Amino acid sequence: MLISYNWLKEYVNIEISPSELADKITKSGIEVEMVESLNKGISGVVVGYVQECIQHPNADKLKVCKVDIGQGEISQIVCGAPNVAEGQKVAVAVPGAVLPGNFKIKKAKLRGEESLGMICSLQELGVDTKLVPKEYSSGIFVMPSDAEPGNDALEYLNLNDHVLELGLTPNRADCLNVLGVAYEVAAIIEEEVKLPDTSITATEEKAEDFISVSIESLEDNPYYGAMIIRDVKIGPSPLWMQNRLMASGIRPINNIVDITNYVLLEYGQPLHAFDYNRLGSKEIVVRRATEGEKIQTLDDQDRTLKDTHLVITNGKEPIAVAGVMGGATSEVQDDTTNVLLEAAYFTSGRVRAASKDLGLRSEASSRYEKGIDRNRVYAAAKRAAGLMVELAGGKVADGIVEAGKREVNTYSVKMDVSRMNNLLGTSISSEQTSAIFDRLGFSYKESDGIFEVTVPTRRPDITIEADLIEEVGRIYGYDRIPTTYLLSEARPGGLTASQAKRRRIRSYLEGAGLYQAVTYALTTPEKSTHFSYTEDTVYPISVAHPMSEERSTLRMSLLPQLLEVLQYNQNRSMGDLAVYEMGSVFINRQEILSDLPEEYVFVSGAVTGVFNEHLWQGERKAADFYVLKGILEGLMSELNLSERITYESGGIEHMHPGRTAIVKLDGIPVGFVGQLHPALQKELDLKDTYVFELNATSLINAETEQMVYQTLPRYPSITRDIALVVDQNLPAGDLFTVIQAAGGELLKEVNLFDLYQGEKMEEGKKSLAFSLKYFDPERTLTDEEVVTAHNRVLKSLEEHFGAQLRK
Amino acid sequence: MKDRLEALRVEAIEKIKQSHDLKDLQAVKVAYLGKKGPITEVLKGMGKLSAEERPVIGAYANEVRDSIQVELDQKQKELEEAAIAEKLAKETIDVSLPGRPVKKGNAHPLTAVVTEIEDLFLSMGFTIAEGPEVETDYYNFEALNLPKGHPARDMQDSFFITEDILLRTQTSPVQARTMEKHEGQGPVKIISPGKVYRRDNDDATHSHQFMQIEGLVVDQNVRLSDLKGVLETFAKKMFGEDRKIRLRPSFFPFTEPSVEMDISCFKCSGKGCSICKQTGWIEILGAGMVHPNVLEMAGFDSKKFTGFAFGMGPERIAMLKYGIDDIRHFYANDIRFLKQFKNA
Ligand SMILES: [Zn+2]
């Protein structure tokens, strides 16, 4: 909402500067987002009178003018505006003047003719083109004839004003008009509000002889009032009114339309002026539109209506969409003489429906949507009718023709001063409270610190005690509220075990060289199903109204987005990447989503390019399967789950069939690790990329035992190495399992230290070398004991796999 | 004989001096002090000497032998030291060459900020509450005093999935759920960080997905002045001890009274600069006293219990703290961006 400082001063006595005022308003609850000076650095612009205006001898498009700029001084000014003419009063920037953008005016010669300054358009004086009246939009602005040459033109044009831009929260629709802001300001600076004059002198004629009004549903339209103003003369509105409209962001049109807009801004009451002679009947009927009904609106667009829209009709056809826009047929035109002035209260739901469906948001519709002051409708109508008399020479027919109830009853809300002080942490007295309600213009009764406040109809946001407490608090001043500390008993805060584990996973992965990424949860429907490893049927979850296909469906895996991160970086020449993400995925097993989907925290990583490098020592180790597996093994150890995790080769869509392992916890899949399928790598234009994805929720929820200290070995251990020849496709993991089982209690550690599968081997065979460490914490082992255990291992290996010792 | 010994000493010492390495020195030692060396030879010839001369020459020979030994030892030490020095010289490396990098990643700046804020509130006795990102209309809106058709629902155009299920637009549903779990018993003292979603076009200042951290305290006798105390502690810890805070009245459907908190600008300390848009104040968060309707809906007696709630945007805080100019940086995950937050 844009509020002219000068206009505001008409209703409240303000003696502080616009910026001081803005500061006070902001502190009391309405954020002033900006204070804009309409004088954008302008100086030296005066009123001039164009005495003579002749064609420039050397230029078709220029005129040479003799301009009286006051005190009998006549300046020659060359002007290029098409509408400059003899007899006009204009704004002249004299030599030495400054225009917006620090544009300095100097004496000049234009095509051989001397020019002492410049005749200005409104745009040149900093007014936004879309606010300049159409007739002056491509030329200079012509001022009223009573402007005095030599006087400051900015005064006439109200360009010494300041505009306050208010950022209104939805509860403060009462400040969508100058009077509402005046009430607010009056409360803040302790002044009175002076209301505009709404008295009118009516003629003998009765309005009801011209029109009848009926409403089909008072639920949609609780009140409709029509006034008749006869014999108006259409013309421009006075400059002061145009200035205020422009300062408030509305373009002046003509006196009648400007008056309805002016009163809209002043009272917050939308008004509409119909050309009475073009109504096509003598009745107004407000009803729902029929489905598919048509109307041509003021902007010459043909609109198709729905039965949720409310229309004003002449009894036969729609002449306006209620609260949104008037129809073209009954529009006020230059030859209009009789006006029907509509002042009505339409419910916000009806206006919102039409405004949304038709894509029409206007000053009027947005006010209806946010709610207007029911009891101000009539005053606004009288105010507008009075201005039509004053500024358009109209005559008001007696009375207002109405349907519905003109005013509603007020209600009261109770507030207990002690409860207020308990809630705010203050000690505001009843007297102070009374004074604040007085400033707000709220009437009240008080006894024993209990206030019964009658809420003015302009403040429908106040319905409960807390609302009144806020009113008192904000006028009292939040800066006067003390700073205290919670009285409640001190309890320790802290992370839950699961939160602590999540942090631990994150810091482990970062320690292992991965950067954390945070990506979007919404992806494409196609990508949302990628990398699924559940065997159940799952259904993608799409939002009803996505902003784009790209962000339409909830992820079931973090990997598609992590791959996008790799692509993004690779496209910027960063090819060695290691990233991880921890975030929610959404699994839906319902064909139609009726319960909330399952949400799991997943942790996933993607690595491509060189993983370890030390350039000058010639070390460049590319990421591979084992780099990632090593990271996972470390992670499982961090989570105390190593013993319960297995890696089994398995197939996942979009993963390399021979280089992927399903990660299982106690035999149940909790994720996978492997290389992307080369086809996908190619499609995404990625180099060899290794990824993992784990259901962190499962890992975190796995019960683990409290760690127990193990006594340090006091007796030496004995190490035996074995090199085995086995079938090439026998997983090493199987050998580990058998060795561990056969080795028994004494075998404490098994390490694979060599893998050979080359030409020296028999076809289809490979060699694996293990180092086995035996010890007993209680005593020194004898050779026999070790030999027995070791032979058991060898025998078991032979039995299970036909493994032979390598010779 | 004495002359002979003296000559041998001079000769030996000269040879010692000329030795260039331990091998030479060993040769000198063998040559002069060895069993077949000249001094031994001289001593062997002592039998020819008189009884008076014998001990004199004997003593002298020992003295020569000792002095040669001393020289030898001395030289040996020198040579050994030189050899070590030479060996070490050969082992010299260029210490200015870069070391072997230790692979290490780091947290995303948003996580860094969220963690910092979490830790701060944990230290004030808060716990962390979490909830689903896909929510019901009830918890996201209705339980927070936003019934269907409420105009403030326009403020947060939402991603609905079905009529009743949507991507949460705020983390406040976690508050509603937590309060409900407490079954009307205080105290509640939580913060709830998490991702939220709104139908915004992504640009420099908007993101359809972003993070929020909300806090909630419900108990008997919780006052607006207590909220001020908590927020002041937060502001000073997060943005510096000399920060001042300012509460401005505002509006949120789930709090009444509602406030917005500004902090004095940490860049210009209130003089006015581009960060604070010349006002000296920076808007940090929204807060307020929990609306009685919200308390009642969650099963608290609003006559007995009061509470405060606050909510802030980690993106905004990170942008202010680190001077980041575009919210999209957080979600593009440019590795050059991420790597900058090693110490965040
Ligand atoms: Zn600043």
Side-chain angles (χ1 to χ4, degrees):
Chain A
M1 179 73 196
L2 301 174
I3 294 287
S4 151
Y5 172 75
N6 285 347
W7 191 356
L8 194 58
K9 277 169 85 171
E10 198 159 291
Y11 314 114
V12 201
N13 181 34
I14 302 171
E15 280 166 358
I16 50 178
S17 73
S19 62
E20 281 173 280
L21 178 65
D23 196 46
K24 280 184 187 270
I25 296 176
T26 296
K27 276 192 192 154
S28 309
I30 291 172
E31 193 179 355
V32 179
E33 289 172 343
M34 199 162 62
V35 179
E36 194 194 11
S37 167
L38 293 185
N39 176 350
K40 301 182 173 83
I42 307 172
S43 66
V45 180
V46 299
V47 177
Y49 173 67
V50 184
Q51 283 187 339
E52 186 190 295
C53 179
I54 56 166
Q55 184 62 46
H56 192 292
N58 308 320
D60 286 353
K61 291 192 171 154
L62 297 179
K63 303 238 172 62
V64 180
C65 307
K66 294 273 190 294
V67 185
D68 174 359
I69 57 166
Q71 283 133 10
E73 200 183 330
I74 310 297
S75 296
Q76 173 168 304
I77 299 174
V78 176
C79 180
N83 65 333
V84 65
E86 242 169 63
Q88 287 171 337
K89 293 278 174 64
V90 293
V92 178
V94 300
V98 181
L99 294 185
N102 201 23
F103 175 54
K104 295 195 177 81
I105 302 299
K106 295 181 200 125
K107 273 190 205 173
K109 258 201 175 147
L110 292 168
R111 297 285 190 99
E113 291 291 328
E114 190 178 48
S115 184
L116 294 170
M118 180 172 119
I119 303 178
C120 301
S121 69
L122 284 181
Q123 290 93 320
E124 282 157 343
L125 295 173
V127 180
D128 191 340
T129 304
K130 63 178 188 289
L131 298 178
V132 174
K134 273 202 177 115
E135 50 189 314
Y136 304 121
S137 61
S138 54
I140 54 161
F141 183 72
V142 181
M143 295 210 278
S145 52
D146 61 357
E148 192 61 43
N151 282 5
D152 184 356
L154 298 185
E155 284 296 326
Y156 284 95
L157 296 168
N158 191 41
L159 289 179
N160 287 329
D161 197 4
H162 288 78
V163 172
L164 277 58
E165 187 175 351
L166 307 184
L168 292 174
T169 49
N171 60 325
R172 295 307 303 272
D174 62 298
C175 286
L176 280 168
N177 57 78
V178 187
L179 267 179
V181 177
Y183 278 108
E184 176 74 10
V185 169
I188 297 168
I189 63 171
E190 297 188 66
E191 286 283 347
E192 297 282 317
V193 175
K194 291 167 281 186
L195 290 174
D197 181 13
T198 55
S199 63
I200 38 173
T201 316
T203 60
E204 302 277 288
E205 293 174 319
K206 296 261 182 256
E208 62 198 39
D209 294 337
F210 292 87
I211 198 78
S212 69
V213 173
S214 65
I215 298 172
E216 205 172 70
S217 156
L218 288 174
E219 216 167 284
D220 291 340
N221 178 196
Y223 175 76
Y224 193 100
M227 292 182 81
I228 301 293
I229 300 95
R230 305 247 286 148
D231 300 335
V232 297
K233 198 172 172 307
I234 304 294
S237 59
L239 188 56
W240 61 264
M241 183 177 274
Q242 294 193 28
N243 290 338
R244 285 181 181 176
L245 291 177
M246 286 189 281
S248 310
I250 292 181
R251 172 186 240 165
I253 311 281
N254 62 42
N255 48 6
I256 297 299
V257 174
D258 289 359
I259 287 166
T260 59
N261 282 331
Y262 184 81
V263 177
L264 165 81
L265 292 172
E266 192 177 39
Y267 278 79
Q269 171 62 45
L271 298 167
H272 187 67
F274 293 97
D275 183 327
Y276 174 78
N277 298 353
R278 291 190 171 97
L279 279 184
S281 81
K282 290 177 86 172
E283 62 172 338
I284 293 285
V285 178
V286 188
R287 61 163 168 83
R288 290 285 184 103
T290 55
E291 196 70 33
E293 197 168 16
K294 295 216 158 47
I295 182 174
Q296 189 183 42
T297 42
L298 279 177
D299 52 4
D300 295 329
Q301 302 285 311
D302 289 315
R303 311 276 180 179
T304 306
L305 304 169
K306 292 183 184 169
D307 62 6
T308 49
H309 304 162
L310 195 64
V311 287
I312 315 301
T313 72
N314 57 10
K316 300 182 281 286
E317 61 211 7
I319 51 171
V321 183
V324 178
M325 197 179 257
T329 53
S330 55
E331 184 182 2
V332 169
Q333 296 176 18
D334 288 349
D335 62 354
T336 297
T337 52
N338 297 326
V339 168
L340 182 146
L341 178 68
E342 165 196 290
Y345 184 90
F346 304 116
T347 48
S348 69
R350 283 309 113 235
V351 175
R352 185 181 298 133
S355 138
K356 206 174 149 197
D357 293 343
L358 301 177
L360 279 172
R361 277 202 142 235
S362 60
E363 296 277 345
S365 72
S366 69
R367 281 178 178 76
Y368 275 124
E369 283 180 37
K370 287 167 184 155
I372 59 171
D373 182 353
R374 178 71 193 275
N375 290 5
R376 216 187 256 172
V377 184
Y378 181 50
K382 286 195 294 178
R383 169 70 168 158
L387 286 169
M388 287 181 189
V389 172
E390 191 186 326
L391 307 176
K395 299 187 193 83
V396 184
D398 189 30
I400 179 164
V401 184
E402 301 172 300
K405 221 170 145 214
R406 193 191 288 173
E407 287 193 348
V408 288
N409 297 330
T410 54
Y411 57 89
S412 61
V413 176
K414 278 192 182 144
M415 190 196 85
D416 180 338
V417 171
S418 66
R419 280 177 55 82
M420 171 181 76
N421 284 320
N422 285 342
L423 192 70
L424 299 179
T426 48
S427 43
I428 303 171
S429 68
S430 291
E431 289 70 34
Q432 287 171 298
T433 308
S434 304
I436 288 170
F437 284 136
D438 289 339
R439 283 164 66 176
L440 286 163
F442 295 0
S443 55
Y444 55 87
K445 283 184 285 198
E446 186 256 353
S447 76
D448 292 336
I450 312 282
F451 279 79
E452 189 173 346
V453 177
T454 303
V455 179
T457 52
R458 64 188 152 83
R459 292 298 305 276
D461 58 306
I462 294 169
T463 56
I464 59 168
E465 184 180 44
D467 297 324
L468 287 174
I469 293 175
E470 177 169 52
E471 288 299 303
V472 176
R474 73 186 184 90
I475 298 297
Y476 176 76
Y478 282 0
D479 48 352
R480 293 167 68 191
I481 291 175
T483 300
T484 58
Y485 297 93
L486 286 164
L487 298 169
S488 61
E489 57 179 308
R491 292 186 176 212
L495 297 171
T496 62
S498 132
Q499 287 161 350
K501 273 190 192 171
R502 257 180 285 158
R503 282 196 180 186
R504 200 159 174 169
I505 294 174
R506 288 197 332 243
S507 49
Y508 167 78
L509 291 174
E510 285 152 21
L514 274 54
Y515 288 89
Q516 188 193 21
V518 176
T519 65
Y520 296 131
L522 287 170
T523 180
T524 65
E526 198 219 328
K527 283 186 180 174
S528 77
T529 61
H530 286 187
F531 301 107
S532 169
Y533 66 85
T534 168
E535 282 166 12
D536 302 354
T537 311
V538 292
Y539 301 90
I541 307 167
S542 292
V543 297
H545 302 287
M547 304 295 285
S548 67
E549 173 90 358
E550 266 307 277
R551 308 275 168 245
S552 64
T553 309
L554 283 169
R555 61 186 175 188
M556 294 189 229
S557 160
L558 308 183
L559 288 176
Q561 313 278 57
L562 279 183
L563 296 180
E564 280 180 21
V565 171
L566 298 192
Q567 283 179 293
Y568 176 96
N569 281 290
Q570 205 171 277
N571 291 342
R572 283 158 185 78
S573 308
M574 287 164 296
D576 302 329
L577 299 158
V579 292
Y580 84 95
E581 177 167 16
M582 183 179 266
S584 291
V585 301
F586 307 85
I587 307 294
N588 171 31
R589 298 175 210 274
Q590 313 158 69
E591 203 165 345
I592 292 155
L593 192 69
S594 56
D595 298 324
L596 293 183
E598 296 157 36
E599 279 184 36
Y600 300 100
V601 174
F602 270 26
V603 60
S604 307
V607 177
T608 186
V610 173
F611 188 75
N612 273 310
E613 89 181 326
H614 193 206
L615 286 176
W616 66 268
Q617 288 190 328
E619 183 188 336
R620 277 175 72 83
K621 172 88 182 79
D624 64 16
F625 177 86
Y626 299 104
V627 165
L628 246 67
K629 189 177 175 192
I631 290 174
L632 292 203
E633 284 167 341
L635 177 62
M636 297 311 170
S637 155
E638 184 82 14
L639 295 172
N640 195 15
L641 293 173
S642 299
E643 314 291 311
R644 295 157 63 183
I645 293 286
T646 50
Y647 300 85
E648 294 171 20
S649 68
I652 300 276
E653 200 199 349
H654 296 301
M655 294 296 292
H656 191 304
R659 294 185 176 178
T660 300
I662 309 285
V663 182
K664 294 185 176 178
L665 171 68
D666 301 332
I668 297 160
V670 289
F672 59 89
V673 52
Q675 188 185 346
L676 278 193
H677 199 290
L680 183 64
Q681 284 178 177
K682 201 173 164 208
E683 186 190 320
L684 301 178
D685 206 8
L686 289 171
K687 293 180 293 185
D688 280 0
T689 299
Y690 294 86
V691 300
F692 70 85
E693 177 145 278
L694 295 170
N695 184 334
T697 304
S698 301
L699 298 178
I700 286 165
N701 290 345
E703 294 279 333
T704 50
E705 277 164 25
Q706 171 79 34
M707 69 126 330
V708 178
Y709 161 75
Q710 309 272 314
T711 29
L712 299 177
R714 273 172 295 170
Y715 302 96
S717 62
I718 294 175
T719 302
R720 289 274 184 280
D721 292 348
I722 44 172
L724 300 167
V725 177
V726 294
D727 284 348
Q728 193 155 19
N729 47 18
L730 177 70
D734 295 2
L735 291 170
F736 271 103
T737 314
V738 166
I739 293 172
Q740 250 141 4
E745 279 284 282
L746 301 179
L747 179 59
K748 292 291 192 283
E749 222 179 286
V750 184
N751 286 302
L752 175 73
F753 69 88
D754 187 45
L755 167 66
Y756 181 77
Q757 38 194 354
E759 47 194 48
K760 284 183 193 157
M761 297 301 299
E762 187 190 328
E763 182 78 20
K765 298 280 181 189
K766 65 181 170 189
S767 157
L768 295 145
F770 293 89
S771 163
L772 284 66
K773 197 179 201 174
Y774 298 91
F775 77 86
D776 187 319
E778 303 301 327
R779 63 205 169 82
T780 306
L781 288 178
T782 63
D783 251 2
E784 283 106 43
E785 282 174 308
V786 174
V787 169
T788 311
H790 201 64
N791 286 340
R792 215 166 47 229
V793 169
L794 296 177
K795 198 169 161 230
S796 185
L797 284 169
E798 188 174 0
E799 277 170 15
H800 278 89
F801 311 114
Q804 297 298 320
L805 280 178
R806 192 176 176 194
K807 279 143 204 151
Chain B
M1 218 164 196
K2 203 171 175 181
D3 291 346
R4 170 83 180 123
L5 280 171
E6 185 55 34
L8 276 173
R9 163 150 71 182
V10 171
E11 198 183 301
I13 287 174
E14 186 55 31
K15 287 230 166 110
I16 287 168
K17 278 186 180 148
Q18 280 166 11
S19 298
H20 292 298
D21 53 31
L22 290 168
K23 212 173 128 200
D24 288 357
L25 198 65
Q26 187 59 31
V28 175
K29 185 177 179 178
V30 171
Y32 288 89
L33 300 183
K35 288 204 169 103
K36 288 170 186 163
I39 295 176
T40 313
E41 287 299 317
V42 170
L43 289 174
K44 273 182 189 161
M46 281 232 294
K48 295 169 194 157
L49 296 176
S50 67
E52 288 95 54
E53 271 180 320
R54 212 176 291 155
V56 175
I57 293 299
Y60 193 72
N62 279 333
E63 193 195 314
V64 167
R65 187 191 275 270
D66 285 351
S67 69
I68 291 173
Q69 188 61 50
V70 166
E71 285 295 324
L72 270 171
D73 288 351
Q74 171 84 18
K75 185 67 183 179
Q76 174 153 0
K77 208 177 150 206
E78 270 170 35
L79 283 174
E80 273 170 4
E81 277 170 5
I84 288 169
E86 192 187 359
K87 184 166 179 268
L88 294 187
K90 277 188 195 146
E91 284 173 5
T92 299
I93 54 167
D94 179 354
V95 295
S96 70
L97 280 168
R100 189 175 199 290
V102 173
K103 190 88 181 158
K104 181 147 176 16
N106 56 254
H108 189 280
L110 284 177
T111 309
V113 165
V114 170
T115 307
E116 189 178 350
I117 297 171
E118 283 177 355
D119 288 346
L120 213 156
F121 282 101
L122 290 172
S123 75
M124 289 195 261
F126 284 70
T127 54
I128 299 175
E130 292 160 307
E133 290 174 31
V134 177
E135 256 298 0
T136 60
D137 186 90
Y138 177 78
Y139 286 112
N140 193 74
F141 290 127
E142 282 179 51
L144 300 165
N145 206 25
L146 280 157
K148 290 207 160 89
H150 191 286
R153 281 197 181 201
D154 270 1
M155 278 164 82
Q156 30 200 2
D157 216 353
S158 336
F159 284 116
F160 274 91
I161 296 163
T162 69
E163 203 167 306
D164 278 311
I165 297 177
L166 73 159
L167 302 190
R168 67 178 177 194
T169 59
Q170 44 194 357
T171 50
S172 327
V174 180
Q175 305 186 2
R177 284 173 178 274
T178 308
M179 278 193 281
E180 205 178 76
K181 263 189 225 142
H182 273 255
E183 295 179 326
Q185 296 302 310
V188 178
K189 200 172 173 190
I190 54 157
I191 57 163
S192 50
K195 292 177 182 134
V196 301
Y197 305 85
R198 290 190 196 170
R199 288 194 75 247
D200 267 325
N201 276 311
D202 296 339
D203 62 23
T205 52
H206 296 85
S207 181
H208 74 276
Q209 173 184 317
F210 56 99
M211 296 206 67
Q212 249 187 7
I213 299 182
E214 291 189 287
L216 172 73
V217 174
V218 177
D219 202 353
Q220 299 184 18
N221 302 315
V222 176
R223 303 158 295 176
L224 183 62
S225 54
D226 299 330
L227 169 64
K228 224 174 161 177
V230 166
L231 295 183
E232 198 170 274
T233 308
F234 163 75
K236 286 179 187 292
K237 288 267 162 59
M238 201 69 194
F239 295 102
E241 279 302 319
D242 5 315
R243 295 283 70 72
K244 289 196 235 352
I245 69 161
R246 166 175 99 165
L247 297 187
R248 278 184 292 111
S250 187
F251 170 76
F252 305 106
F254 29 89
T255 50
E256 188 73 33
S258 302
V259 298
E260 260 170 288
M261 183 189 83
D262 299 336
I263 58 166
S264 55
C265 182
F266 46 77
K267 183 83 182 287
C268 65
S269 296
K271 285 183 217 72
C273 71
S274 62
I275 289 186
C276 58
K277 295 186 195 130
Q278 311 307 326
T279 63
W281 295 95
I282 299 172
E283 197 178 310
I284 292 292
L285 54 79
M289 302 307 290
V290 182
H291 197 289
N293 291 357
V294 174
L295 287 170
E296 293 286 342
M297 265 186 287
F300 281 89
D301 180 353
S302 68
K303 294 221 157 45
K304 264 204 213 146
F305 284 90
T306 52
F308 64 71
F310 54 87
M312 63 190 110
E315 278 89 349
R316 177 168 168 74
I317 290 173
M319 288 168 91
L320 286 169
K321 235 177 127 83
Y322 305 123
I324 298 164
D325 57 352
D326 192 323
I327 198 171
R328 286 169 295 197
H329 283 311
F330 293 116
Y331 295 96
N333 297 292
D334 190 310
I335 201 82
R336 295 165 299 185
F337 175 79
L338 297 178
K339 281 184 178 174
Q340 290 181 35
F341 299 93
K342 279 260 184 241
N343 311 308

